[in-house]
Amino acid sequence: MLTDVFTLTQPEKEERLRDELVGLLAHHRRHCPPYARILDALGGADGDAATLADLPWLPVRLFKTRKLASVPDDEVIRVLTSSGTTGEVSRIHLDRAAAATQSRMLARTLGAVLGPRRLPMVVVDRAGVVGDRRSYSARGAGALGMVNFGRDHLWLLDADDRPDVAALKDFLGRHGDAPFLVFGFTFMVWRYLYEVARDHGLDLSRGILVHSGGWKKLADQAVDNAEFRRRLGADTGLERIHNFYGMVEQIGTVFLEGPDGGSLYCPDFADVIVRDPVTWQEAPVGTPGVIEVLSTLPTSYPGNVLLTEDLGVVHGVDDGHWPGKRFSVLGRLPRAEARGCSDTYVGGQA
């Protein structure tokens, strides 16, 4: 049975996470020599952090240039890779326990909006995106992780990357009068599901959409999150829409858009800090900065406290649909590598 993971107020979360993360950083210091050298260079003892903001962070880009693993090679069962346009990709090493934990906690997080039962599912992608089960792209890993929450799957794109309209109509004929799950990367949902459903007058009103990434191409079309939600609701009837923010470097941790829309929330085992890019101090509520993500899930590699290359802003604390911080992602840092699971989708290449 799933239990809720959006329960802790911010003071409760900070007290719990601080102790857990201090212990995890000490674990990685013992088992990952390169990480130990980084911490030694930074100075300070493992238990010195008085608050979450005091914990030492790693730049997420480091996983593109260094092998950082806290388990022996013979215990690694899966290596996940990020998307990238420069040839550099992050490589994230999972052992059996870490892989099981990330799957379980992803299920608990998404259960807050999907419920405990597997739903009929539309995947706005092609089945071929899921390839070698030992090594996945971020897009493939995202699709593979999500299909576990559905049944009677329809992979919407055919082998030539064209939406199969007849198959979608058949799916809706069988499942469209009860809740069903839709998953895809944001730009692909817009292009291959929304536009198809709009043009063919299809009713998606019983659907629950979970989507992420790919906002750059929609921004070029003057489509932001609010417009995305408005158009899907007005033209297809689809109103239960949940964007999420996550990355392969903290696999299994997703920051989920609440039922009220507009803000992302942190599950009980994770948090965000927005830092001023000049002083690197925590930015006040309402002030944009660089997003740092914290999670207790990474145990097979030192990915617990990561400075991303994304800009964001915290809108409020303990004042939304769920407790804790609520925030938005504003985009990439200006000189950061362009990446994204669906922003790199060109001609069907994952």
Side-chain angles (χ1 to χ4, degrees):
M1 179 179 179
L2 296 176
T3 55
D4 195 359
V5 295
F6 294 97
T7 66
L8 298 179
T9 65
Q10 192 61 28
E12 292 170 335
K13 175 180 292 187
E14 293 194 9
E15 182 178 0
R16 178 182 297 184
L17 290 188
R18 185 263 175 199
D19 292 342
E20 290 189 34
L21 289 171
V22 165
L24 283 164
L25 267 56
H27 163 80
H28 293 303
R29 178 194 283 273
R30 292 192 300 270
H31 296 282
C32 180
Y35 181 67
R37 289 194 291 272
I38 293 170
L39 292 185
D40 289 343
L42 293 174
D46 292 329
D48 282 352
T51 68
L52 294 182
D54 295 329
L55 292 168
W57 43 261
L58 293 182
V60 71
R61 180 173 289 271
L62 202 60
F63 288 91
K64 298 180 186 295
T65 60
R66 298 288 186 273
K67 178 182 177 181
L68 295 171
S70 303
V71 293
D73 288 346
D74 61 1
E75 294 182 13
V76 173
I77 65 164
R78 188 171 300 157
V79 179
L80 304 180
T81 59
S82 64
S83 305
T85 57
T86 67
E88 289 186 337
V89 295
S90 295
R91 299 187 184 279
I92 303 303
H93 298 75
L94 299 179
D95 64 2
R96 194 169 303 279
T101 297
Q102 62 91 4
S103 295
R104 183 174 67 255
M105 300 313 291
L106 179 62
R108 289 180 59 185
T109 303
L110 295 176
V113 296
L114 298 181
R117 297 181 178 178
R118 291 196 303 162
L119 301 175
M121 183 175 185
V122 178
V123 185
V124 187
D125 214 319
R126 51 187 166 86
V129 75
V130 178
D132 181 357
R133 287 184 173 269
R134 180 174 167 83
S135 179
Y136 289 116
S137 68
R139 194 171 125 212
L144 185 78
M146 284 299 301
V147 297
N148 294 323
F149 304 109
R151 59 180 176 84
D152 299 335
H153 302 85
L154 167 63
W155 293 84
L156 185 58
L157 302 189
D158 65 18
D160 296 316
D161 301 313
R162 296 174 303 195
D164 189 336
V165 180
L168 180 58
K169 289 180 177 179
D170 178 70
F171 178 93
L172 293 173
R174 290 182 290 117
H175 300 297
D177 59 352
F180 61 91
L181 171 60
V182 180
F183 169 74
F185 293 101
T186 306
F187 173 72
M188 298 175 69
V189 168
W190 182 265
R191 179 174 178 182
Y192 297 117
L193 180 68
Y194 163 70
E195 292 182 353
V196 167
R198 178 198 62 194
D199 294 346
H200 289 83
L202 302 181
D203 180 6
L204 305 179
S205 60
R206 300 303 301 274
I208 305 170
L209 170 62
V210 177
H211 70 103
S212 182
W215 284 107
K216 182 177 184 295
K217 290 183 180 181
L218 290 185
D220 295 341
Q221 300 178 37
V223 177
D224 59 10
N225 189 39
E227 180 70 0
F228 181 88
R229 296 173 64 92
R230 187 191 71 79
R231 296 273 290 276
L232 275 162
D235 296 339
T236 74
L238 181 55
E239 295 183 338
R240 295 181 64 182
I241 298 172
H242 300 276
N243 185 24
F244 73 87
Y245 174 63
M247 60 200 66
V248 72
E249 293 86 0
Q250 278 191 357
I251 191 71
T253 302
V254 296
F255 301 91
L256 189 63
E257 188 176 31
D260 46 349
S263 291
L264 299 164
Y265 291 84
C266 310
D268 291 345
F269 53 86
D271 205 4
V272 297
I273 292 172
V274 172
R275 292 192 179 274
D276 183 301
V278 176
T279 67
W280 297 114
Q281 298 301 305
E282 185 170 6
V285 170
T287 302
V290 183
I291 296 174
E292 175 185 311
V293 290
L294 305 92
S295 172
T296 62
L297 296 194
T299 55
S300 60
Y301 65 98
N304 303 101
V305 186
L306 301 178
L307 189 74
T308 74
E309 296 174 343
D310 296 319
L311 294 171
V313 59
V314 174
H315 298 298
V317 181
D318 291 332
D319 64 350
H321 181 86
W322 290 319
K325 292 178 183 175
R326 56 184 185 87
F327 71 102
S328 292
V329 180
L330 303 178
R332 302 286 289 167
L333 286 169
R335 287 186 295 276
E337 175 195 3
R339 69 167 176 87
C341 299
S342 64
D343 285 337
T344 60
Y345 181 84
V346 179
Q349 299 301 308

